[in-house]
Amino acid sequence: MGETLRLRTVNVTRYITPLREGGSLPALAEADDDFKYVLKFKGAGHGVKALIAELIGGEIARALHLKMPELVFAHLDEAFGRSEGDEEIQDLLQGSQGLNLALHFLSGAITFDPVVTVVDPELASQIVWLDAYITNVDRTFRNTNMLIWHKELWLIDHGASLYFHHSWSNWKNHAQSPFALIKDHVLFPQASLLSETDVLFKKILTAEVLHSIVDLIPEEWLLWEDTDETPEAIREVYFQFLITRLNHSEIFINEAQNARETLI
């Protein structure tokens, strides 16, 4: 208890390839520790807020002992990307100087397919609980955001979580919202142990654990142009959102259980 959470910082040395079409244009990249990473750029679509959601969601998953690739801060220096031929990618790299976020690349991993892999009720309930808690809209049949690696299920991509921060108003209302979109979750049909999971996870996610995760957010990600709030005040809102939502977890658990009854 009381141990300070830390993420490693790596320097990006090589941009290898964009990973998919779309607004965020994550990339496969190599860093100065000779590992490959899936790099998420602060200069993309939703900017630093997507990285904050990725960081908080991923580290909460890790605290709950769910499998998550290592997250690292990834530094891009000002010279990086000047030789990139693709103008869109060059603009993205130039707009992402400084600290970005990267996930350790799981070489050989395959996308989770619910038709091929059956997930047991305990694990399914844990992942559904996590996503209802962090309001993750993006773990559906269309886009599962999970990988199978060494025959185990790994979670990736939490950048669409905590969507309250895109409006940054009425966070208390968002914290106590039922999250009806959980019914679209790819593991929802198997999530039959939500109440048991709720008891377990509320013991793990203490205020101290949540503070340590929120404290990871770099100050340079909290210098928002559309607010006068200090980085410390912004961090405090994230913490208060998370602790309030945890203390009122019955709201999203009841929503999920009611929706499950319509499946049976």
Side-chain angles (χ1 to χ4, degrees):
M1 296 294 289
E3 184 178 342
T4 303
L5 266 186
R6 297 194 188 283
L7 260 59
R8 292 191 303 119
T9 299
V10 301
N11 293 300
V12 181
T13 54
R14 185 164 68 105
Y15 180 101
I16 299 172
T17 185
L19 283 175
R20 65 167 180 263
E21 295 303 316
S24 65
L25 272 181
L28 181 62
E30 194 169 60
D32 57 358
D33 59 356
D34 293 330
F35 286 115
K36 290 185 176 69
Y37 293 94
V38 176
L39 184 55
K40 306 292 183 80
F41 297 101
K42 66 180 178 183
H46 288 302
V48 292
K49 290 184 179 180
L51 301 191
I52 291 170
E54 191 83 64
L55 174 62
I56 291 176
E59 289 305 307
I60 287 175
R62 196 184 318 284
L64 295 173
H65 309 297
L66 296 167
K67 293 200 172 298
M68 256 291 301
E70 182 191 9
L71 286 170
V72 299
F73 295 124
H75 186 266
L76 282 184
D77 71 36
E78 60 183 31
F80 194 86
R82 283 182 185 160
S83 60
E84 172 59 46
D86 184 304
E87 195 171 315
E88 183 185 9
I89 293 173
Q90 188 179 77
D91 288 346
L92 179 63
L93 297 175
Q94 291 293 306
S96 301
Q97 292 170 12
L99 284 187
N100 298 271
L101 194 68
L103 294 86
H104 199 98
F105 177 61
L106 304 181
S107 180
I110 57 172
T111 299
F112 167 75
D113 183 341
V115 176
V116 174
T117 304
V118 176
V119 178
D120 69 77
E122 182 179 19
L123 181 56
S125 300
Q126 291 177 349
I127 296 171
V128 167
W129 187 99
L130 166 70
D131 289 329
Y133 174 51
I134 62 174
T135 62
N136 182 15
V137 301
D138 207 6
R139 192 121 54 207
T140 63
F141 283 91
R142 187 177 59 82
N143 194 19
T144 63
N145 281 331
M146 292 183 284
L147 299 175
I148 300 293
W149 193 58
H150 296 308
K151 299 182 180 178
E152 293 184 305
L153 193 63
W154 290 70
L155 306 183
I156 57 169
D157 233 343
H158 298 94
S161 308
L162 306 176
Y163 56 81
F164 82 94
H165 64 181
H166 294 296
S167 61
W168 205 248
S169 60
N170 290 328
W171 66 262
K172 289 180 184 175
N173 290 347
H174 283 283
Q176 298 180 53
S177 69
F179 195 58
L181 291 172
I182 198 62
K183 69 183 186 305
D184 299 323
H185 197 288
V186 66
L187 297 181
F188 191 63
Q190 290 79 47
S192 58
L193 300 172
L194 289 170
S195 293
E196 294 86 342
T197 301
D198 188 51
V199 172
L200 173 65
F201 281 1
K202 288 179 87 163
K203 291 177 182 174
I204 295 172
L205 292 179
T206 62
E208 184 179 35
V209 168
L210 293 174
H211 258 308
S212 68
I213 291 171
V214 170
D215 285 347
L216 288 170
I217 306 171
E219 183 151 332
E220 70 177 76
W221 292 1
L222 296 170
L223 302 173
W224 298 354
E225 294 177 358
D226 55 354
T227 181
D228 293 329
E229 289 183 80
T230 64
E232 293 74 19
I234 294 172
R235 277 199 195 94
E236 183 62 18
V237 170
Y238 279 111
F239 170 75
Q240 290 297 336
F241 174 88
L242 292 168
I243 200 74
T244 301
R245 192 156 181 79
L246 190 68
N247 289 338
H248 294 85
S249 62
E250 71 281 355
I251 295 172
F252 62 81
I253 293 297
N254 290 342
E255 173 75 22
Q257 288 175 329
N258 291 340
R260 276 186 52 78
E261 286 177 12
T262 67
L263 296 176
I264 299 169

